[in-house]
Amino acid sequence: QVQLVESGGGLVQAGGSLRLSCAVSGRTLSSYAMGWFRQAPGKEREFVAAISRGGTGTYYIDSVEGRFTISRDNAKNTADLQMNSLKPEDTAVYYCAADGGAQSLTTWYYSRTRRDEYDYWGQGTQVTVSS
């Protein structure tokens, strides 16, 4: 059974930084492409960032490009999201997710933003950015 556990959320002032971490257990992280999604109150869960299995490919939603950085450490079985220059509109519950189907960069290009392509999800961690 694969389990994902997020940590690192909290309350921060606008302009500040947080680093979210996703610990994967049950199977080696290198088996999965990883993604981060977020869900604000009253809104649908949206894609934020993704990283391919080998880490050579990354992709971001436009609103976080240049401010957020996704990374992975396959040896430690963790995937992180460094969030800088945070804005109040970044407030949401953040979820990490694992995609076991993206075995190549070509398939990852197709699946990286699609919620239904991800096989496993964490429980979420709250990020609140005050103005």
Side-chain angles (χ1 to χ4, degrees):
Q1 181 73 14
V2 177
Q3 291 188 322
L4 283 65
V5 178
E6 302 97 336
S7 61
L11 173 64
V12 64
Q13 288 188 334
S17 298
L18 283 174
R19 187 177 184 90
L20 305 184
S21 186
C22 177
V24 178
S25 62
R27 195 167 178 184
T28 179
L29 181 66
S30 60
S31 299
Y32 301 96
M34 297 298 294
W36 284 92
F37 290 74
R38 65 187 179 188
Q39 187 166 18
K43 295 187 177 181
E44 290 191 356
R45 192 173 299 187
E46 68 170 353
F47 167 80
V48 176
I51 188 166
S52 60
R53 287 178 67 206
T56 55
T58 58
Y59 186 73
Y60 302 90
I61 192 173
D62 286 348
S63 61
V64 309
E65 180 80 56
R67 300 188 296 123
F68 290 12
T69 303
I70 188 171
S71 62
R72 64 189 297 151
D73 187 332
N74 286 347
K76 294 182 179 180
N77 260 25
T78 58
D80 291 353
L81 185 68
Q82 176 67 42
M83 306 186 295
N84 298 329
S85 302
L86 283 161
K87 304 176 181 180
E89 51 263 44
D90 294 319
T91 296
V93 177
Y94 283 71
Y95 300 87
C96 69
D99 174 8
Q103 298 298 306
S104 69
L105 282 176
T106 300
T107 55
W108 179 72
Y109 291 150
Y110 166 78
S111 67
R112 58 194 179 185
T113 66
R114 298 170 63 93
R115 282 184 298 173
D116 57 355
E117 292 290 333
Y118 287 81
D119 305 294
Y120 302 99
W121 293 81
Q123 82 290 348
T125 186
Q126 176 70 46
V127 171
T128 303
V129 184
S130 63
S131 57

